[in-house]
Amino acid sequence: MMNQVVEDIAEKDDKTNLNDFMSRITGEIVVKGFFGKLAEGFQLEGKDAQIALTNLTGEISLIVMENLYSFVKSLLFGVKMWKILPSKQEKDLVRRVENVRIKLNDLILKRIEQLKDNPVQDQDKMVFLDLYVTEYLKQQAQNEQQIDLEEILHQFITLFFAGTDTTATVCGTCLYYLAKYPEIQSEILEEVNEVIGNADINEDNLNKLIKVNALIQEVLRLRNPAFVTLFRTVKRDKQVQDIKLKKGWALVQMQNASSIQDTHFDNATEFNYKRWLSKDSIIKNDNGYIHIPFTAGPRNCIGQHMALMEAKIIIALLVRKYKILLNPAVQQIRFGIKFLQCVEPDNCVLFEKRI
């Protein structure tokens, strides 16, 4: 399915907006991975579902960052902000979210009715929705309902919100570096041709894309998209290594601090994907928490394996199909924060079809 989505969208999309192009691919993968055939032709707000959902989640994120009124309310009230003296723009977003919820619920109810009569026998052929609905029906039959429609809906929203823009941004950044360093692009293309040739990527050859994986790891190290500022208040006096923290202090985490220090990586601020190909120890003075792009512990990213699989497939197939070039019309390229850390402007790279 991932192979097909990349091929289809690459053909249809004009590829003039890098981040939108990547989000269309990753959004379609999430929608089809969750709803399967139910998602075919599925539209929201008059657009393909993945485009409408990507636009909506983006607008929800940006209003809090760009609108001072909404930003202050989010700090004071958290998610309750949407119900407290909502602005016209906030009301419109809430209305659109409710419409999306209704249509997604209709899809879930439709699948429940289908599986009541014809349950999927082969678990390997189930999409995410089938797994949840099967368990929902099982609990219903046993009169032990723990999963309800709201839970299933929230599982989809979580997967889409956490798995669309993040994976898309990683892929977009990878493509930018391939355009910036044509020699790396040649090395990646050579590996792709050797490993998969003209075939689809499958479970046998996916993990043989060693250089593609190294490229992704270097992007995650140097330009991790999840550049969220975390604020904490010190609850009690505490010594952390050589720093004495005082009760009441406000702390701001520098999320990529460990990744850009020469004490942990050689030439840490330089982009060098080959560091991940070394058989020697890559990370110096590693305490297990230096390179954790998906975080660590019990609340680490539950979708990291799917995200890495998507990224490998997207990058490999696009490099095989197109020569990635820097756009000569763009004078300055930078990394900005639009909820996620992404390369800007959106037209910084061009795609030239390979002969």
Side-chain angles (χ1 to χ4, degrees), residues 63 82 85-96:
I63 191 175
W82 302 97
L85 300 174
S87 65
K88 183 178 179 181
Q89 188 180 8
E90 289 171 351
K91 286 180 180 178
D92 183 61
L93 284 172
V94 170
R95 176 191 60 78
R96 289 166 62 193

Side-chain angles (χ1 to χ4, degrees), residues 178 181-194 211-212 273-274 277 319:
L178 291 178
Y181 301 112
E183 67 278 10
I184 297 178
Q185 185 172 166
S186 296
E187 292 163 3
I188 296 292
L189 176 61
E190 183 180 14
E191 178 183 73
V192 170
N193 286 333
E194 287 179 359
K211 291 181 181 178
V212 175
Y273 89 105
K274 288 186 178 179
L277 302 176
V319 167

Side-chain angles (χ1 to χ4, degrees), residues 19-28 31 44-45 48-61 96 160-161 164-165 168:
N19 293 308
D20 281 358
F21 175 37
M22 293 297 100
S23 291
R24 286 189 181 98
I25 292 175
T26 57
E28 179 83 348
V31 171
L44 295 166
E45 301 185 326
D48 289 343
Q50 83 278 8
I51 296 175
L53 287 168
T54 298
N55 291 343
L56 183 56
T57 53
E59 288 177 51
I60 291 170
S61 302
R96 289 166 62 193
F160 190 91
F161 186 76
T164 297
D165 283 354

Side-chain angles (χ1 to χ4, degrees), residues 224-237:
N224 195 312
F227 201 83
V228 180
T229 303
L230 298 179
F231 299 90
R232 293 291 183 267
T233 302
V234 180
K235 298 294 185 184
R236 60 182 183 278
D237 290 354

Side-chain angles (χ1 to χ4, degrees), residues 145-162:
Q145 203 73 60
Q146 293 177 315
I147 296 178
D148 55 17
L149 294 181
E150 188 76 1
E151 169 73 12
I152 298 173
L153 176 62
H154 279 222
Q155 293 295 345
F156 169 72
I157 292 171
T158 298
L159 185 64
F160 190 91
F161 186 76

